Amino acid sequence: LRKSYEKDSGHFLSNIKQKFSSREYPFEEINLIKQLLFPAHWNCGEIKIKENSKELIEKIEALGRLFFDGIKPYVGDKAKEEKIVNRVLENLGKVRETLKKDVEAAYIGDPAAKNYTEIIRSYPGFLAIEIHRISHLLYAYGAEGYAREISEGAHSETGIDIHPGAQIGNHFFIDHGTGVVIGETSVIGDWVRIYQDVTLGVLHFEKEKEGKVKKNYKRHPDIGSHVVIGAGAKILGPVKIGNHVNVGANSWITENIPNYTSVFVAEHPRLEKRKRD
């Protein structure tokens, strides 16, 4: 091992003094985000009262400190770190208003949903988008590595893998959710509903001349508005799915789909029955 350590340089962090945030599951950041965005649902509703501004500020500052600690090893520039953290914290109110629309979409789109509290406290799809909307800001403002950590914390809790680079519109709902994958360069419009085991992924990887996988290029789908994507569907590559499209369960899509279209597997496997002795 020591001989292997001695070979470390560059990408493998030979600086033994580098310190990252210690990690426990669930992430402390995730708990604070949940409490700040929907306090009455997580036993700290008192921070909603104006007279309790001190308690609210303390929670915001606690989240900010965790952000600083998480961002520092990746950024290493105090001024940039402060700018990123401040921009994210300043947008918490806007994120919350967007998330209220996501709760509405879940309630409208799921006949099993009895009330908003059930969605906020127990739906993995809602937790996934709740954390994504914060991690996406971190990613967009320059803390890409730390944004991935936060996203993976949500992934561990929900079974839903949303890359923080993905752009997702309003009134978004993932029902059930287990096995959903949404890639980095995916763009999703408004009023989109996705079911379990859906992949918005890559068809194939482009490579550089030296054989390395190419980075930073468009490789995931664009999904329009008012789209429903059924369980098990795979939409692969930089294809465009139009507005008001229904994608049937287990569909395999590698081409553009126009507006106002339903697409589905035409020939389902035949079910055979055999009498047992």
Side-chain angles (χ1 to χ4, degrees), residues 138-151:
L138 288 162
Y139 182 91
Y141 295 152
E144 294 94 340
Y146 178 60
R148 283 301 300 270
E149 288 195 33
I150 298 295
S151 293

Side-chain angles (χ1 to χ4, degrees), residues 53-73:
S53 293
K54 180 181 177 182
E55 288 79 0
L56 174 59
I57 291 169
E58 286 175 351
K59 280 193 178 293
I60 293 171
E61 289 178 343
L63 181 60
R65 286 192 295 272
L66 290 171
F67 283 170
F68 271 118
D69 291 343
I71 290 170
K72 186 176 181 180

Side-chain angles (χ1 to χ4, degrees), residues 202-255:
V202 177
L203 183 60
H204 60 81
F205 294 111
E206 294 183 15
K207 293 186 177 180
E208 305 285 2
K209 290 182 180 179
E210 60 271 25
K212 295 180 180 179
V213 173
K214 186 177 178 180
K215 309 280 186 180
N216 302 318
Y217 71 98
K218 176 67 175 174
R219 58 197 185 277
H220 299 98
D222 287 352
I223 309 298
S225 296
H226 300 278
V227 173
V228 177
I229 304 176
K234 313 300 177 190
I235 305 177
L236 306 176
V239 298
K240 296 184 182 298
I241 307 301
N243 300 320
H244 300 276
V245 168
N246 287 344
V247 177
N250 297 317
S251 298
W252 178 278
I253 297 176
T254 58
E255 60 188 61

Side-chain angles (χ1 to χ4, degrees), residues 110-151:
D110 183 7
K114 302 299 187 290
N115 51 64
Y116 284 12
T117 299
E118 177 185 2
I119 294 164
I120 292 168
R121 284 189 55 88
S122 64
Y123 275 40
F126 178 71
L127 177 58
I129 188 60
E130 183 176 25
I131 301 307
H132 172 75
R133 296 207 184 277
I134 298 295
S135 65
H136 179 69
L137 290 180
L138 288 162
Y139 182 91
Y141 295 152
E144 294 94 340
Y146 178 60
R148 283 301 300 270
E149 288 195 33
I150 298 295
S151 293

Side-chain angles (χ1 to χ4, degrees), residues 161-176:
D161 184 359
I162 309 178
H163 192 286
Q167 301 176 47
I168 300 178
N170 296 326
H171 292 96
F172 180 68
F173 175 40
I174 300 175
D175 199 356
H176 304 297

Side-chain angles (χ1 to χ4, degrees), residues 97-108:
E97 289 303 307
T98 300
L99 287 167
K100 287 161 71 175
K101 297 175 183 176
D102 296 327
V103 177
E104 178 188 8
Y107 184 76
I108 291 172

Side-chain angles (χ1 to χ4, degrees), residues 161 177-182 193-201 229-235:
D161 184 359
T178 305
V180 167
V181 177
I182 300 176
R193 184 162 77 249
I194 292 177
Y195 288 87
Q196 67 273 18
D197 197 32
V198 165
T199 298
L200 305 184
I229 304 176
K234 313 300 177 190
I235 305 177

